[in-house]
Amino acid sequence: MNIHQLDIAIFGGGIAGLWTLARLRQAGYRVALFESRAIGGIQSIASQGIIHGGTKYALTGRLTGSAMAIGAMPGIWRAALEGTGEVDLRGVRVLASHQHLWSTGSLASGVAGFFAGKVMHSRMQPLAREEFPPPFDTPAFRGSLYRLEEPVLDPRSLAAAFLEQHGDSCHLLGGTPRFGRAAGTWRGELPSGDSFEARALVLAAGRGNAELLDRLGRDAPKMQVRPLHMLMLRGRLPLIHAHCLGASANPRLTITSYPADDGRVVWYLGGQVAEEGVQRGRTEQIAAGRAELAELLPWLDLRDTQWATLSIDRAEIATPGGKRPDDAYVGECDGIFTCWPTKLAFAPRVADLVMEGLEGPGVAPTGGEVSLSGLQRPALAHLPWDEVKEWS
């Protein structure tokens, strides 16, 4: 049996875990990432790929905690996409450099005035009717349209970029390790029969953090799960990345688009319809999606489209009343860093918080690469619509 000496072991191959892996390797840490399924994880690969800057959280006309915390993220991501940032994401497929916000009628004066203010002016611009892109470039659309300077990425391409650069540090687990601790060092017995010793553990496995914490003998921090029932439809559809404004801080509907290889386009639908859809079965959720599009974009012909749904859980730090956390969460205790990013866009923030937190337990980089024998490299996760077995 081999015992591998690490500075840090990361559990979870979603984007937060991968971004943290990249930063730690750059800083000279001996680090390995362990993933039980596929690179891209579960939540990351099922995300809409939106790099939020907080604008959609300000729809009530005031800057919320979420809006303030996430405001710097698009700039960090854009630098990475250009190859000038803290990680190199030049190979990532950008589905759209910007998004749109639309309303079915005129925006409430308070919200419109807020968007025109200094804080939001650089993030969002109203469009004149001659600038409206499809499917809003029709006299049938009588609402307001804003351009939102926040990109949309292909989540699989994003995971692939990290795998290409850091795949030699990514390892497939056949189960959950058995942990022990002695003299300030964590030891993990891997399903392969090998083991590792590390001075810190980073738990970035989303919902899997609960099982890892249990194996570590910890009952905190507590996790909450907020479910979604996402919708997918494919057909000859226009490319659109947009949020429909609702009455709450959450968009009524969020649409992102993905060009399929056969010339069709997949629409991925989230927002309020996905949150309320957890109370509905597949057939009822598809009916609700059809009704929502018929009301919001009634001029579109959707007769030749096919529909599917996806149930997915968002794992987060527990909050009073189960509300969405305002920020990413990273908590440290005895060299265990438990991480829930809350949003895809917060992956760089998770890495920052882990890097800062390592100063507390005094975990310094020892340098050198790590080679773990007996473990395979994880495969790349598939996008949700590529896993659908039944379209209707």
Side-chain angles (χ1 to χ4, degrees):
M1 181 180 71
N2 297 316
I3 302 176
H4 303 282
Q5 299 298 322
L6 306 174
D7 295 328
I8 302 166
I10 300 174
F11 293 89
I15 302 305
L18 292 166
W19 199 297
T20 302
L21 171 67
R23 291 285 307 281
L24 291 172
R25 291 188 79 194
Q26 291 168 4
Y29 286 94
R30 291 175 56 83
V31 58
L33 182 146
F34 301 100
E35 167 57 42
S36 62
R37 299 193 183 194
I39 293 299
I42 297 175
Q43 285 183 243
S44 291
I45 199 68
S47 75
Q48 292 188 276
I50 298 170
I51 306 305
H52 291 295
T55 308
K56 79 165 193 171
Y57 298 130
L59 300 183
T60 56
R62 62 185 181 87
L63 278 176
T64 63
S66 294
M68 295 295 288
I70 206 169
M73 292 300 107
I76 294 172
W77 281 86
R78 288 188 188 279
L81 292 167
E82 294 167 359
T84 61
E86 58 191 38
V87 300
D88 186 355
L89 298 181
R90 283 175 292 180
V92 173
R93 183 183 188 186
V94 179
L95 297 175
S97 62
H98 60 275
Q99 305 162 55
H100 292 96
L101 288 174
W102 94 91
S103 67
T104 53
S106 60
L107 286 171
S109 59
V111 178
F114 175 75
F115 285 157
K118 292 181 180 179
V119 174
M120 302 301 294
H121 187 70
S122 63
R123 303 187 199 176
M124 188 153 75
Q125 297 292 331
L127 296 181
R129 180 159 290 275
E130 59 270 18
E131 300 175 296
F132 286 8
F136 304 105
D137 57 343
T138 170
F141 175 62
R142 301 183 181 279
S144 303
L145 191 65
Y146 288 74
R147 175 176 165 133
L148 180 59
E149 299 301 329
E150 297 174 1
V152 182
L153 309 182
D154 173 355
R156 191 166 195 261
S157 173
L158 177 59
F162 281 108
L163 185 61
E164 180 179 0
Q165 297 175 50
H166 303 285
D168 55 337
S169 295
C170 298
H171 309 281
L172 183 64
L173 284 177
T176 306
R178 296 171 56 189
F179 295 102
R181 183 168 172 82
T185 298
W186 287 102
R187 180 164 180 161
E189 296 182 12
L190 303 172
S192 65
D194 286 1
S195 64
F196 68 83
E197 292 182 347
R199 290 177 294 156
L201 307 176
V202 174
L203 311 186
R207 188 166 185 168
N209 281 354
E211 182 180 358
L212 288 166
L213 287 167
D214 183 64
R215 287 292 187 97
L216 288 160
R218 305 303 169 100
D219 58 6
K222 296 293 186 182
M223 181 184 76
Q224 70 182 25
V225 174
R226 292 190 302 122
L228 290 172
H229 198 174
M230 305 291 287
L231 283 155
M232 297 169 274
L233 68 156
R234 65 182 183 185
R236 304 295 175 178
L237 298 164
L239 290 170
I240 174 176
H241 305 273
H243 310 272
C244 179
L245 304 184
S248 71
N250 290 329
R252 177 174 173 178
L253 181 70
T254 292
I255 305 174
T256 52
S257 305
Y258 196 96
D261 292 338
D262 60 5
R264 291 183 291 184
V265 169
V266 175
W267 277 12
Y268 196 30
L269 309 183
Q272 202 67 35
V273 68
E275 296 191 3
E276 296 174 352
V278 300
Q279 307 298 327
R280 296 187 280 259
R282 178 182 182 277
T283 301
E284 293 75 19
Q285 178 67 343
I286 290 174
R290 288 183 182 275
E292 194 75 344
L293 288 179
E295 181 176 348
L296 297 178
L297 303 171
W299 58 89
L300 282 183
D301 184 355
L302 302 177
R303 286 176 295 179
D304 294 329
T305 56
Q306 296 176 303
W307 289 75
T309 68
L310 172 71
S311 294
I312 185 77
D313 289 333
R314 296 166 294 184
E316 305 163 339
I317 184 65
T319 63
K323 295 181 179 180
R324 182 192 65 232
D326 278 339
D327 200 348
Y329 174 84
V330 175
E332 186 271 334
C333 182
D334 293 332
I336 301 172
F337 292 79
T338 306
C339 312
W340 284 291
T342 304
K343 288 287 183 183
L344 174 70
F346 273 137
R349 181 153 171 77
V350 168
D352 278 344
L353 292 172
V354 170
M355 296 285 287
E356 293 170 7
L358 288 170
E359 298 176 5
V363 180
T366 59
E369 292 298 322
V370 178
S371 177
L372 274 67
S373 60
L375 290 178
Q376 299 178 357
R377 179 183 296 197
L380 190 61
H382 293 284
L383 292 164
W385 41 91
D386 291 332
E387 298 280 79
V388 172
K389 293 182 173 58
E390 180 184 2
W391 291 86
S392 58

